[in-house]
Amino acid sequence: MARILGIDLGTTNSVMAVMERSGPIIVPNSLGERLTPSVVSFTKSGEILVGKKAKRAAIMNVGRTVFSIKRHMGTNYRVKIDGKEYTPQEISATILQKLKHDAEEYFGEEITQAVITVPAYFNDAQRQATKDAGEIAGLKVRRIIDEPTAAALAYGLDKEQDQIILVYDLGGGTYDVSIIEVISGVFQVLAIQGNTHLGGDDFDRRIVNYLLDQFKKKHNIDLSDDPIAMARLKEAAEEAKIELSELKETHILIEAITMTDKGPITLDEVLTRSQFESLVDDLIQQTIPPMLQAIEDARLEPAKINTVLLVGGSTRIPAVQRLVKDTLKKTPHRDISPEEVVALGAAVQTLILSPIEGEIEETLATRYGREKPVIIHMTPFSLGVGLINDQYGIIIERNSTYPTEAKDIFTTTRDFQEAVSFPVYEGDEPIASENTFLDLLRIEGITPAPRGVPRIEVTFKLNADRILEARAEDLATGVEKKITIAATGSKLSEAEKARMIKEARERVTKMLRAKIRERREEETQDILSRVEKALATSGSHPMAGELRTKSEELRNAVKSGNEETIEPLMDEVLRLLTEVEMAAR
Ligand code: ADP
Ligand code: MG
């Protein structure tokens, strides 16, 4: 059975997991880390860095480093670097390529399939874009699954008694709260609320501002115009915040953060947990109204919530945990690492997609039950078409479960009209154009007839990934027009996708090049130190002179990145080195 990779493609961090005999496990990246920052950096020398290295390089690579691309999925946003434009799909694909590659190295086998999670509020365009990103990265996306549902799956909640779950997800840049009902293992997302601009980054910023203020008070220097100082402050602030989740007090020390005529100045501050809590209190409080609103949207009361799940790195903050507990009067589950729970759930979903076999079946049966959970989702909005006078013809009602299919029949408004265009909308405003426009469904070649006579059937099919396929058919002739919806402009044509897949493959080479160069640098360092040692003991060897010259050449070739000469030089140096070393024995 081919492995399917579960991927939480996060705004801040991405995480991979697979299903093993013992249950879902996290797949570490090439650095051995479980979280990979969702950051892509294009270096001036043409390399592409992804993850922690890209995050680190951000200071050096100003304007060439992309953060939080997830915010732009499904839009016309473009990243411009060196005169080339990248779609959000391509940047996300670069992250996915890195994950895929690392997982392949980890397992020693090719991985071609994935389940990718998205926020529950992601619309068609955003889901389609995520799916396309996977495809560009060379992954067949078997399923797009909602993050809160994945979290519930990771907890195996589908196997417990019927219940109502509130998922509180506070990540790096976004806050999502979802209410999920599980009845006999069937999931329904009842309500979604949140704030797409609230998360750990805001807490970091508060600490940075505090440090800037303190520094100004003490030294009368404003560091906010110095991008390098600001980058160092941000890094230190995040570190301090993380430490304060465990400790009552932390020491922030940034050496030589700035230079003055009297020499460098070091930033040296102590931040206590209670100071931090008062710095971010109003931000944390802002997570309450969406929680209560979601409960209200689901026509429930707080007391009806049976289970509370904490998801997202920022829920490690004790004050956040306290707030959720106090608001809902319930102790949240947090025994699974909050950054990893979504990816683990994606891995559980892979099990649902592939038949369980043999031995695996038995162990899984005890953990997840023999039956696979069924996930039923409800559409958070209605889907329909714009009609004459901007009337809204709803085809799939809000709160319909999907996958689903629905149809309606429309007609022409003019005599002998040959074509009809239906703007497709998502939303629940009574006036069509006030909803979110998705795409235009146009049918041509209608049998000429007086107005009101043709019968044009519009069918909406919403698949398991909540991606809409719209179809219009002239019932008289059977002429048909089909489109897969994704907001115009952000949607990729097949040709564009093919080109992106090709370019993505080329980008892998650039990603690997960075790795190969590093490995080579290490190797050269080893060889050069051996050369030094050999020359120190056998400096009079007849080949010592040549060894000295060649190793100098090698050092320069590596320094200047002169690819063609490195390999032969290395061989040459090694050959000479062995001779000289042998003589010393
Ligand atoms: P996302 O879902 O946005 O990709 P994560 O769930 O990985 O992100 O959360 C990332 C955020 O969690 C960052 O702002 C990070 O600083 C924060 N975080 C991680 N660990 C801790 C901790 N121990 N205490 C407080 N915040 C933390
Ligand atoms: Mg997340």
Side-chain angles (χ1 to χ4, degrees), residues 28 56 113 203 232 257 267 335 345 355 357-358 435 490 548:
R56 285 265 161 82
Q113 301 184 57
F203 305 158
R232 292 178 74 195
I257 191 161
L267 181 144
D335 22 307
E357 31 174 329
N435 294 290
S490 77
R548 198 169 281 130

Side-chain angles (χ1 to χ4, degrees), residues 273 276-277 280-281 284 316-324:
R273 185 187 284 179
F276 167 67
E277 286 176 359
V280 300
D281 183 58
I284 293 180
R316 288 188 183 270
I317 298 172
V320 170
Q321 293 164 15
R322 253 189 343 257
L323 175 115
V324 177

Side-chain angles (χ1 to χ4, degrees), residues 355-374:
I356 313 168
E357 31 174 329
E359 210 181 331
I360 301 183
E361 184 174 47
E362 238 154 68
T363 10
L364 288 177
T366 45
R367 196 183 157 114
Y368 290 102
R370 201 164 293 264
E371 286 162 57
K372 300 172 177 185
V374 181

Side-chain angles (χ1 to χ4, degrees), residues 277-292:
E277 286 176 359
S278 56
L279 285 177
V280 300
D281 183 58
D282 62 305
L283 294 172
I284 293 180
Q285 295 291 334
Q286 281 177 36
T287 66
I288 299 179
M291 243 192 296
L292 301 177

Side-chain angles (χ1 to χ4, degrees), residues 378-514:
M378 299 211 291
T379 59
F381 330 93
S382 298
L383 292 158
V385 290
L387 304 170
I388 192 164
N389 296 334
D390 216 2
Q391 290 176 64
Y392 189 27
I394 290 180
I395 297 182
I396 295 179
E397 298 273 355
R398 175 173 185 235
N399 285 351
S400 305
T401 58
Y402 60 88
T404 186
E405 191 176 306
K407 50 184 78 169
D408 205 347
I409 292 176
F410 301 98
T411 186
T412 51
T413 52
R414 280 177 283 116
D415 291 338
F416 307 110
Q417 189 175 334
E418 281 175 15
V420 184
S421 293
F422 296 98
V424 178
Y425 294 106
E426 171 183 85
D428 287 278
E429 298 301 328
I431 297 171
S433 61
E434 284 179 4
N435 294 290
T436 308
F437 172 72
L438 296 178
D439 208 341
L440 203 62
L441 174 63
R442 187 173 162 83
I443 179 164
E444 289 171 14
I446 297 169
T447 327
R451 73 180 152 196
V453 172
R455 287 157 53 79
I456 298 160
E457 185 179 70
V458 174
T459 309
F460 276 14
K461 197 168 147 189
L462 201 56
N463 71 12
D465 298 326
R466 215 176 89 202
I467 291 171
L468 180 66
E469 190 183 285
R471 218 165 51 220
E473 187 183 341
D474 178 359
L475 292 181
T477 59
V479 166
E480 204 182 327
K481 173 74 191 165
K482 196 159 83 177
I483 53 170
T484 304
I485 300 289
T488 328
S490 77
K491 192 163 90 180
L492 302 176
S493 69
E494 285 308 313
E496 277 174 315
K497 236 188 273 177
R499 172 180 60 76
M500 288 176 182
I501 290 171
K502 188 169 152 278
E503 289 181 1
R505 284 209 200 103
E506 288 159 13
R507 271 201 301 281
V508 170
T509 337
K510 289 192 180 176
M511 255 153 64
L512 292 183
R513 207 186 291 158

Side-chain angles (χ1 to χ4, degrees), residues 531-546 548 580 584:
V531 167
E532 246 161 65
K533 228 181 275 163
L535 289 176
T537 48
S538 326
S540 55
H541 191 280
M543 283 177 175
E546 202 184 346
R548 198 169 281 130
V580 177

